[in-house]
Amino acid sequence: MGPLLALGYKKTLDLEDVPQLSNCDSANVVFPHFRNNIESENNGSGNGGQVNTLNLVKALILSTSKEILRTTILSIVCTFASFVGPYLIESFVQYLDSPHQLKYKGYELVFIFFLSKLIKCLSERHLFFQLRKMAIRVRTALFAIIYEKNLRLSSQSKQSHTSGKNTNLMSVDIERIAFFSWYLQNIWKIPVQVVIALLILYNKLRLASLATFVATMILMLANLPLGKLQEKFQEELMDSKDQRMKATSEALRNMRILKLQSWEMKFLDKIIERRNFETIWLKKLLYTSTIYAFVFFSAPMFVSMVTFGFCVLMGIPLESGKILSAIATFEILQVPIYNLPDTISMMVQTKVSLDRISSFLCLSDHHPNIVQNLPRDSGEVAIEIVKGNFSWDLHSCNPTLKDLNFRVYHGMKVAICGSVGSGKSSLLSCILGEGPKVSGDIKLNGLKAYVPQSPWIQSGKIVDNILFGEDMNKEKYEMILEACSLKKDLELFAFGDKTIIGERGINLSGGQKQRIQIARALYHDVDIYLLDDPFSAVDVHTGTHLFKECLLGILGSKTVIYVTHQVEFLPFADLILVMRDGKITQVGNYEEILSSGTDFMELVGAHNKALTELNSIEHGATSNNLINGDKDGNILCSKKAIEIDEEKKPKTYKTEKQVGQEGQLVQEEKREMGGVSASVYWNYVTTAYKGAFVPLIIMAQIIFQLLVIVSNYWMVMSTPVSEDVRPYVKGSTLILVYVALTLGSSVCVLIRSMLVVTVGYKTATLFFNKMHLCIFRAPLSFFDSTPSGRILNRVIAWKMLIVFIPMTVTCIWYQQYYISTARELSRMIGVCQAPIIQHFDESSLGSTTIRCFDQEERFIDTNLKLVDGYCRPIFYFSGAMEWLCFRMDMLASITYAISLVFLISMPKEVLIPGFAGLAITYGLGFSMYPVIWDLCNLENKIISIERILQYTCIPSESPLLVEENKLSPDWPSQGKIDIVDLQIQYAPHLPLVLRGLTCTFPKGLKIGIFGRTGSGKSTLVQALFHTLEPTVGQILIDGINIFKIGLHDLRSRLSIIPQDPTMFAGTLRRNIDPLEEYTDEQIWEVLDKCQLGDEVRKKEGKLDSAVSENGENWSMGQRQLVCLGRVLLKRSKVLILDEATASMDTATDKLIQQTIKKHFSGSTVITIAHRITSILDIDKVLLLDDGLILEYDSPTKLLENKSSSFAKLVKEYTQRCSS
């Protein structure tokens, strides 16, 4: 510890300065040992390998058996050493009182006192260090086993166990079980301490020790009903906390849609409502704890009152030596009486946490044997399903997929198509072994890779997402970047492929995320590729490039199964599976099934019809090629756009690749440096009731301590030193005064405990509300750059006796030397826990991908490294704490010994033996370390407040309402949008994304925004909703500058169907109408309009049908239809469709476009589209490129100019379809 403390004293410590854990304490050693223990316990218990609480406890005990043995031995030594002083006090008082005692007898007593204190000091310090070490091992084992289990969970288990509950397991339950290490030895130590205390009392007070025993038992038994109450309150509190954490994590995960829809304050109200319900149980738990505190502080006073009262009653003589010995024993007896309720409480809380973890470990696993993996190259068949029936709900009598029979040979390209909700994605899940099998066989021959429909991107560098655990092969890597059209995207990032991606790929467009996923799959070079609608999120040009270069090029010889809604990619398939209602209705190649059924004709017919209309527009434009594109003043490859392009491109994109961290979107978590500011303490103290109760708490504590000292002084000074001397006061007077003083001190304890709980509860509530309000009002850029695990991670008696000035000065110097290191280690602990929770949540979302690529071991290893990174500062913080405490104890022991020598050296005439004895009694328990420890601990604990206060100072978005710019209720009445010189960047250190846009969207027109992935389409949408602040420029809707009005006024008047369709856990009704503003009739009406009515009527719950977390029990297309339902209810004058029908087949897309055309005929509809067929319903086309307007005019006029980029785009699409 010496070198680390010396370094911490000289400079602010970083995590790199903290040494690694020794091999035996590292997660790589602790976890396998624990896993072996739990497996052997489960196998031996005969319960089918299920983990129960008892087996979990046994495994934890076996994993920490060495620490338990060491702490037991140290506890025994420490316990016996602590009773030496009380036993010898009477002998010491008698020695001081007797004038004829030999000098060496006094020195013998001093030596024994000093030796016992020295042994106690050494054993206690080593005991506490071993207990801290045990807690670290328990923490490591549980973090690792829960993470590993999470990777193995089946889809049904995930639906029943929410992310909020899992976050609580990691952040609350594990910490509580680890903390129980401190209480483990109390189970045997409490009765032993009581027995030794009673033996000493029997030796001094004879029969009165029976009264002590009875009083002690009464106090201990009184704690049992309190323990049961606490268990009940604790369980209810944890359940309500799970509900609140689930709602919080869901809101944080979907903050973008909440802000776009102006729902964030409604969701915040729901979280506050859940918190208020949680605080009902929290209050009950806290006030029960107050009764506990009252009982334990009053315990020694109650026991001494009963014992001394019994002595007076029975006529047992009370001498000051015996009273001092009894008082010192009562002080020690206070520890077991204090620890018993505390231990019961912790046992209750730990049992609740162990039950919760064991129930999580009992959840059903993903079964790898659902799929029969054949030896590679064992035959020509790559995939075969025979009589397959699969169901996401095994209790349902209606399977999700029915009667599946098909065979895929090596090297085949298989396309799966069908309408929304027909079971396409479910079929891929079943091939992966993720879908629960009811009956039938699945055979798979070869390694597989998977590209899910909802992109799963890890936080971290782009290159790491592509390599995904594989070694770098530069030639292969560059080829795949080229094939996936990623090279140009990487050039736009200041850090290239070293750019750190935010949580869930927040700083990437939908197309970029999808192409990184495809690159990841290609880089793994496996036998079978499963691609779930990989082309929906990319534009036409990129889609064609991906199909040619990836599917037909790099994967030319591979087995590929791809789900697609793009009919133009179907003719290239060797086999097409057409799905409807969970069944394969047609199988064959393109020509075969085109003539053999209606389902495929519906899909192809809708596409061909759209293509015919597109061709007619194109040819119509050619025949009328008489009008100049610039005639009406619109931009058509205008000189201005090209000039802007030439001027700005070099400045923005010829950026040297940076190496440092400064320009990254996601930065390291902020950690304060140096001492905790006095303002943090002041903030904490004055938050509740402006700090009015704090002086009362201090006063109650001071009066309590004074009354305890006065009561002891009264008993000692009012009784004789020996039996020969007559008592100074009557026995009844002695006891009555003592009882009065004792009751007074008990009342002070009760008042102090009640005030502490009241103030603490109020402060916590105010901090909670303030922090949540600041987080929910933060701009979206905060959520883009801050992982939700980091946010969730925050969402979490003094005595002074100055004997010698030199000792005090030395203690303070040690404290100053120690605190700089301890403070930074404590901050690191807070910062290092968030990545564990974030990695856990991220792995949970991507478990299907991780399993498919056989990356479980790598992810488990990453988790173990993160756990080690968290445990390192905890371990060295523990070492630093014991380093300080040992020095404090040694100083106290030396000071005590000097004081005793000083007392025996004084002349007997000037010494009052009783008073000297009282000083010795207090000296037994005296140490400077509780004072210094409390001060250091206070500073370390206040860091939690410091971290919360950081989040109460997040810069807020613009106001929700601006009084001076209040809008009329019917705004916008027309829907005309003027964009003037709009320039936008995501952060000051990042390049411009929109670089000077100027155009007008006339009222009531349908505007289509096209452009390559990453050209700025989605950024323009964000600007319309004022989620980004413009660097320069403005947007006017009906003449009102949207950047000058309240955010609620703006966002509640616009409607959007987002790129990533979002559904919330709960019911369908809650998802369609989160603000509960519409009737069931209105909801049914819009469900019918968006083609979901029939599907919902089939479900048992109708509008109350369950929606699981992230809407995972609804297909991507159905989720987009639900989002359409929301906007149909709202009926705004401005509607934005951000690739809203990307996950739908052409027929459904056509129906949706007709619905929008019908119900939003007078509205301005802005569509960001990748489907060229979308222009059939569009009045004007805006083509963006690198954040600039390339072209803006009607589709017909743009098509007239064959050299226009848009005409080339359409031509490419029609050629692709006709080929």
Side-chain angles (χ1 to χ4, degrees):
M1 280 312 304
L4 183 66
L5 286 161
L7 185 65
Y9 187 62
K10 289 176 193 166
K11 60 162 269 197
T12 301
L13 287 180
D14 293 314
L15 193 59
E16 295 73 41
D17 300 320
V18 180
Q20 295 293 332
L21 294 168
S22 65
N23 194 45
C24 63
D25 292 319
S26 71
N28 282 321
V29 173
V30 173
F31 175 53
H33 181 47
F34 173 69
R35 186 169 50 189
N36 292 340
N37 287 333
I38 207 163
E39 282 171 3
S40 62
E41 285 299 325
N42 290 340
N43 295 337
S45 63
N47 60 353
Q50 287 285 305
V51 181
N52 58 36
T53 306
L54 183 63
N55 290 349
L56 183 61
V57 170
K58 283 181 185 174
L60 284 170
I61 289 170
L62 287 170
S63 302
T64 54
S65 54
K66 286 180 185 174
E67 285 77 12
I68 291 171
L69 183 62
R70 287 181 198 137
T71 53
T72 304
I73 294 164
L74 290 165
S75 290
I76 292 166
V77 173
C78 185
T79 301
F80 281 99
S82 64
F83 280 103
V84 172
Y87 184 76
L88 292 177
I89 278 178
E90 189 183 7
S91 303
F92 197 78
V93 171
Q94 284 172 353
Y95 168 81
L96 293 176
D97 185 50
S98 173
H100 308 297
Q101 289 277 10
L102 294 169
K103 205 78 169 169
Y104 80 90
K105 285 273 186 190
Y107 287 114
E108 268 183 14
L109 285 169
V110 169
F111 177 73
I112 295 167
F113 272 121
F114 177 68
L115 186 65
S116 66
K117 281 211 75 162
L118 191 66
I119 291 168
K120 181 176 180 259
C121 160
L122 285 166
S123 57
E124 193 170 61
R125 297 284 57 84
H126 281 285
L127 168 65
F128 283 6
F129 183 71
Q130 290 297 329
L131 289 171
R132 290 173 192 275
K133 204 171 157 188
M134 195 196 306
I136 290 170
R137 290 178 77 85
V138 168
R139 205 179 272 116
T140 300
L142 292 176
F143 269 135
I145 197 90
I146 289 172
Y147 180 84
E148 187 187 59
K149 178 68 179 182
N150 188 48
L151 278 186
R152 297 201 314 262
L153 283 184
S154 66
S155 52
Q156 299 98 312
S157 298
K158 280 190 177 180
Q159 286 179 27
S160 66
H161 221 265
T162 63
S163 62
K165 206 167 191 174
N166 294 346
T167 303
N168 272 343
L169 287 180
M170 298 290 273
S171 60
V172 178
D173 293 300
I174 289 178
E175 290 302 318
R176 185 172 289 133
I177 294 165
F179 191 62
F180 183 70
S181 308
W182 288 87
Y183 295 85
L184 188 64
Q185 297 297 339
N186 288 353
I187 296 166
W188 66 265
K189 212 160 80 170
I190 289 169
V192 168
Q193 284 174 320
V194 171
V195 168
I196 295 171
L198 290 171
L199 287 172
I200 291 171
L201 287 169
Y202 182 76
N203 179 265
K204 307 294 180 188
L205 302 173
R206 299 299 169 190
L207 278 175
S209 60
L210 289 174
T212 308
F213 175 70
V214 171
T216 305
M217 291 312 295
I218 288 169
L219 285 169
M220 288 182 167
L221 290 171
N223 288 315
L224 294 176
L226 282 173
K228 286 191 174 176
L229 264 181
Q230 275 215 318
E231 181 172 15
K232 183 193 171 190
F233 296 157
Q234 186 66 39
E235 283 180 355
E236 294 288 354
L237 177 65
M238 290 310 296
D239 287 344
S240 53
K241 188 177 275 189
D242 285 343
Q243 292 301 314
R244 195 246 309 158
M245 286 298 288
K246 175 188 165 189
T248 306
S249 57
E250 187 176 57
L252 292 174
R253 206 168 42 243
N254 300 305
M255 190 54 78
R256 182 172 296 277
I257 190 66
L258 295 189
K259 285 191 174 289
L260 293 179
Q261 301 280 14
S262 194
W263 292 340
E264 72 268 37
M265 299 319 288
K266 176 76 175 177
F267 274 70
L268 177 58
D269 288 343
K270 286 185 178 175
I271 289 169
I272 299 288
E273 190 182 305
R274 284 194 167 98
R275 168 69 180 179
N276 290 341
F277 180 71
E278 181 188 333
T279 54
I280 293 170
W281 297 109
L282 181 62
K283 260 186 184 175
K284 289 179 178 178
L285 191 66
L286 286 173
Y287 284 114
T288 313
S289 303
T290 303
I291 298 166
Y292 260 141
F294 172 67
V295 169
F296 111 73
F297 273 116
S298 304
M301 296 179 281
F302 174 73
V303 172
S304 59
M305 198 166 68
V306 170
T307 306
F308 295 148
F310 186 81
C311 286
V312 171
L313 196 67
M314 299 301 291
I316 298 168
L318 286 171
E319 300 146 26
S320 56
K322 288 178 177 176
I323 286 172
L324 287 169
S325 186
I327 287 171
T329 308
F330 295 147
E331 279 295 315
I332 295 176
L333 197 56
Q334 181 189 14
V335 175
I337 294 172
Y338 162 68
N339 280 344
L340 181 71
D342 217 22
T343 306
I344 291 170
S345 169
M346 272 311 297
M347 284 174 78
V348 164
Q349 292 178 36
T350 306
K351 184 184 178 298
V352 170
S353 291
L354 285 164
D355 287 342
R356 284 158 57 83
I357 289 174
S358 64
S359 69
F360 176 75
L361 296 176
C362 285
L363 292 172
S364 63
D365 284 356
H366 159 74
H367 292 295
N369 55 0
I370 287 176
V371 177
Q372 186 184 342
N373 287 299
L374 304 173
R376 286 181 80 180
D377 308 321
S378 61
E380 292 182 359
V381 177
I383 300 167
E384 185 175 17
I385 297 183
V386 181
K387 296 178 182 175
N389 289 283
F390 304 88
S391 179
W392 291 112
D393 180 6
L394 291 171
H395 303 295
S396 171
C397 54
N398 187 24
T400 311
L401 300 177
K402 302 174 273 288
D403 306 323
L404 299 186
N405 289 283
F406 67 90
R407 180 180 290 176
V408 177
Y409 294 96
H410 283 295
M412 282 180 74
K413 306 288 176 284
V414 180
I416 303 173
C417 58
S419 58
V420 170
S422 57
K424 304 180 294 298
S425 297
S426 294
L427 177 55
L428 289 191
S429 293
C430 295
I431 294 169
L432 286 167
E434 296 292 329
K437 183 171 73 174
V438 177
S439 61
D441 295 305
I442 314 173
K443 293 174 185 172
L444 207 68
N445 183 351
L447 298 173
K448 58 193 180 298
Y450 173 55
V451 176
Q453 191 175 18
S454 297
W456 179 72
I457 301 289
Q458 255 192 298
S459 301
K461 295 174 185 170
I462 291 173
V463 63
D464 294 337
N465 269 279
I466 294 172
L467 298 181
F468 206 58
E470 295 286 294
D471 295 327
M472 169 61 87
N473 177 332
K474 198 68 184 169
E475 189 181 335
K476 177 181 171 185
Y477 180 72
E478 291 295 327
M479 176 187 76
I480 286 169
L481 288 184
E482 189 66 53
C484 295
S485 293
L486 279 168
K487 282 204 164 180
K488 189 173 181 189
D489 296 276
L490 295 180
E491 284 168 18
L492 304 186
F493 291 122
F495 293 83
D497 63 0
K498 303 287 188 297
T499 298
I500 293 176
I501 301 168
E503 195 174 20
R504 301 187 311 283
I506 202 87
N507 49 332
L508 300 173
S509 71
Q512 287 168 333
K513 283 189 270 191
Q514 196 66 282
R515 284 180 287 127
I516 287 170
Q517 281 204 126
I518 294 169
R520 177 205 293 156
L522 294 182
Y523 196 84
H524 272 251
D525 192 24
V526 295
D527 308 303
I528 300 164
Y529 287 83
L530 305 171
L531 314 179
D532 195 351
D533 205 6
F535 313 113
S536 63
V538 294
D539 57 82
V540 172
H541 174 77
T542 309
T544 307
H545 179 87
L546 284 173
F547 191 79
K548 284 180 181 172
E549 297 297 322
C550 298
L551 254 78
L552 304 181
I554 294 173
L555 302 181
S557 62
K558 305 285 186 181
T559 309
V560 183
I561 298 186
Y562 60 100
V563 171
T564 187
H565 291 301
Q566 277 90 334
V567 174
E568 61 271 20
F569 294 138
L570 295 177
F572 296 92
D574 302 309
L575 187 70
I576 298 172
L577 307 178
V578 183
M579 298 196 70
R580 178 185 282 275
D581 298 330
K583 290 183 178 178
I584 298 174
T585 55
Q586 291 175 264
V587 183
N589 62 31
Y590 188 78
E591 285 75 23
E592 286 170 2
I593 61 173
L594 196 58
S595 55
S596 67
T598 57
D599 290 335
F600 189 64
M601 274 308 299
E602 274 181 36
L603 299 170
V604 176
H607 173 73
N608 288 341
K609 188 181 176 188
L611 201 60
T612 307
E613 290 176 37
L614 183 64
N615 281 324
S616 66
I617 292 172
E618 195 179 357
H619 295 312
T622 309
S623 61
N624 297 322
N625 192 6
L626 305 167
I627 308 164
N628 188 310
D630 281 333
K631 186 173 180 182
D632 61 356
N634 286 324
I635 300 167
L636 172 59
C637 299
S638 71
K639 288 181 182 177
K640 184 183 175 187
I642 293 164
E643 280 166 19
I644 292 171
D645 202 13
E646 294 304 316
E647 281 174 30
K648 293 196 178 177
K649 229 174 185 168
K651 290 179 193 173
T652 311
Y653 298 122
K654 301 294 181 188
T655 315
E656 286 187 23
K657 297 283 179 275
Q658 300 175 45
V659 185
Q661 178 75 17
E662 295 76 27
Q664 295 282 17
L665 174 74
V666 180
Q667 302 283 338
E668 289 289 323
E669 182 169 0
K670 184 185 174 188
R671 177 162 67 91
E672 298 286 347
M673 299 295 178
V676 178
S677 165
S679 63
V680 176
Y681 290 95
W682 182 251
N683 232 318
Y684 179 69
V685 168
T686 58
T687 296
Y689 311 107
K690 294 192 165 42
F693 284 175
V694 175
L696 296 175
I697 292 168
I698 295 168
M699 197 184 298
Q701 179 65 15
I702 290 169
I703 295 169
F704 160 68
Q705 290 289 3
L706 282 173
L707 288 173
V708 169
I709 293 167
V710 169
S711 64
N712 290 340
Y713 184 80
W714 166 255
M715 287 299 288
V716 171
M717 301 313 287
S718 303
T719 50
V721 177
S722 63
E723 290 180 34
D724 311 331
V725 184
R726 196 164 162 273
Y728 307 131
V729 294
K730 283 169 60 181
S732 55
T733 309
L734 182 76
I735 288 301
L736 281 172
V737 172
Y738 187 67
V739 167
L741 292 168
T742 302
L743 289 175
S745 60
S746 296
V747 169
C748 288
V749 167
L750 186 61
I751 291 168
R752 190 210 62 189
S753 302
M754 295 297 280
L755 287 175
V756 166
V757 165
T758 305
V759 172
Y761 165 76
K762 183 72 174 174
T763 305
T765 303
L766 291 170
F767 272 137
F768 178 92
N769 292 344
K770 188 176 180 185
M771 184 176 80
H772 276 68
L773 180 63
C774 289
I775 288 169
F776 274 66
R777 289 288 296 116
L780 271 177
S781 57
F782 169 75
F783 297 95
D784 292 351
S785 60
T786 309
S788 63
R790 196 181 287 176
I791 301 169
L792 291 170
N793 191 36
R794 304 193 185 198
V795 179
I796 316 173
W798 300 348
K799 44 190 173 185
M800 274 284 189
L801 184 59
I802 299 171
V803 179
F804 289 124
I805 291 170
M807 178 201 170
T808 310
V809 171
T810 312
C811 285
I812 289 166
W813 182 84
Y814 270 132
Q815 188 260 349
Q816 291 299 318
Y817 184 73
Y818 150 90
I819 193 64
S820 51
T821 301
R823 183 198 300 125
E824 295 312 318
L825 287 169
S826 184
R827 282 178 176 145
M828 283 178 208
I829 292 165
V831 168
C832 292
Q833 190 180 11
I836 298 175
I837 294 168
Q838 185 200 338
H839 183 65
F840 178 83
D841 289 341
E842 204 166 59
S843 305
S844 183
L845 287 169
S847 56
T848 302
T849 305
I850 294 165
R851 287 197 287 254
C852 175
F853 285 92
D854 296 322
Q855 294 287 313
E856 296 101 312
E857 285 304 316
R858 183 171 70 88
F859 273 77
I860 288 167
D861 191 49
T862 303
N863 178 61
L864 295 180
K865 283 175 184 166
L866 289 172
V867 170
D868 273 348
Y870 174 51
C871 290
R872 264 164 62 204
I874 296 178
F875 179 85
Y876 287 99
F877 177 75
S878 305
M881 186 73 79
E882 297 312 322
W883 180 94
L884 176 73
C885 293
F886 173 72
R887 281 152 181 78
M888 298 292 106
D889 270 350
M890 288 305 296
L891 282 166
S893 299
I894 292 163
T895 306
Y896 186 59
I898 292 167
S899 304
L900 293 178
V901 170
F902 179 68
L903 285 171
I904 61 171
S905 306
M906 281 180 72
K908 304 284 181 181
E909 308 83 59
V910 296
L911 196 67
I912 303 167
F915 190 77
L918 190 61
I920 295 161
T921 306
Y922 279 117
L924 272 176
F926 167 69
S927 170
M928 275 299 286
Y929 100 77
V931 181
I932 304 298
W933 193 91
D934 277 346
L935 289 171
C936 296
N937 210 27
L938 175 65
E939 176 151 0
N940 293 327
K941 294 296 181 193
I942 208 78
I943 286 166
S944 300
I945 306 300
E946 182 183 66
R947 284 159 61 76
I948 289 170
L949 288 172
Q950 279 179 4
Y951 272 23
T952 60
C953 303
I954 305 163
S956 183
E957 280 189 303
S958 301
L960 291 173
L961 297 169
V962 178
E963 286 299 325
E964 57 268 25
N965 292 335
K966 268 204 159 182
L967 301 169
S968 62
D970 61 340
W971 182 89
S973 55
Q974 298 177 325
K976 182 189 176 190
I977 301 172
D978 294 294
I979 301 169
V980 183
D981 191 26
L982 189 65
Q983 296 182 25
I984 282 181
Q985 57 192 144
Y986 279 98
H989 57 267
L990 297 176
L992 286 169
V993 183
L994 297 182
R995 304 188 288 145
L997 263 60
T998 301
C999 60
T1000 298
F1001 299 160
K1003 65 176 184 180
L1005 292 192
K1006 310 289 180 280
I1007 312 293
I1009 303 178
F1010 290 84
R1012 193 180 177 280
T1013 301
S1015 60
K1017 305 185 296 292
S1018 291
T1019 306
L1020 179 56
V1021 169
Q1022 289 186 59
L1024 283 167
F1025 282 87
H1026 195 179
T1027 62
L1028 295 168
E1029 290 294 334
T1031 312
V1032 179
Q1034 56 185 7
I1035 297 175
L1036 307 171
I1037 298 180
D1038 285 0
I1040 303 281
N1041 186 348
I1042 65 166
F1043 301 120
K1044 302 283 185 192
I1045 62 174
L1047 291 179
H1048 180 76
D1049 278 345
L1050 170 68
R1051 293 169 184 171
S1052 61
R1053 313 292 178 92
L1054 308 182
S1055 287
I1056 183 168
I1057 303 178
Q1059 189 174 2
D1060 298 319
T1062 303
M1063 287 180 80
F1064 305 97
T1067 63
L1068 178 65
R1069 180 191 275 104
R1070 184 201 167 209
N1071 273 278
I1072 291 271
D1073 178 26
L1075 302 186
E1076 298 163 6
E1077 295 175 334
Y1078 302 97
T1079 63
D1080 283 8
E1081 290 73 24
Q1082 289 171 304
I1083 294 171
W1084 278 116
E1085 191 183 330
V1086 299
L1087 285 174
D1088 288 328
K1089 285 174 185 171
C1090 63
Q1091 314 300 315
L1092 265 179
D1094 293 341
E1095 184 66 33
V1096 175
R1097 285 186 183 92
K1098 284 181 201 169
K1099 293 184 181 285
E1100 200 176 313
K1102 305 291 189 291
L1103 290 181
D1104 292 318
S1105 299
V1107 177
S1108 64
E1109 204 163 11
N1110 303 318
E1112 284 177 4
N1113 57 336
W1114 294 70
S1115 76
M1116 182 75 92
Q1118 287 171 329
R1119 282 181 247 169
Q1120 282 185 322
L1121 291 175
V1122 169
C1123 294
L1124 173 67
R1126 289 174 192 154
V1127 302
L1128 286 170
L1129 274 177
K1130 203 169 169 186
R1131 300 287 281 275
S1132 303
K1133 272 289 178 184
V1134 177
L1135 170 64
I1136 292 100
L1137 308 176
D1138 191 356
E1139 298 168 17
T1141 55
S1143 299
M1144 296 176 196
D1145 57 277
T1146 313
T1148 310
D1149 181 22
K1150 183 71 181 169
L1151 285 167
I1152 297 311
Q1153 296 295 348
Q1154 286 171 356
T1155 305
I1156 290 167
K1157 193 172 184 179
K1158 180 180 173 183
H1159 296 286
F1160 290 91
S1161 54
S1163 302
T1164 305
V1165 180
I1166 300 164
T1167 305
I1168 292 177
H1170 286 155
R1171 282 198 178 135
I1172 292 295
T1173 50
S1174 303
I1175 70 163
L1176 300 175
D1177 299 303
I1178 281 170
D1179 301 310
K1180 283 193 168 237
V1181 170
L1182 177 68
L1183 191 63
L1184 293 178
D1185 185 44
D1186 288 345
L1188 292 164
I1189 296 175
L1190 201 61
E1191 296 164 2
Y1192 180 44
D1193 212 325
S1194 68
T1196 314
K1197 287 185 180 173
L1198 289 174
L1199 289 170
E1200 285 169 4
N1201 185 347
K1202 292 298 174 191
S1203 63
S1204 77
S1205 299
F1206 184 70
K1208 289 175 185 172
L1209 201 66
V1210 173
K1211 187 178 180 185
E1212 181 185 346
Y1213 180 75
T1214 51
Q1215 281 178 348
R1216 182 176 87 184
C1217 294
S1218 57
S1219 67

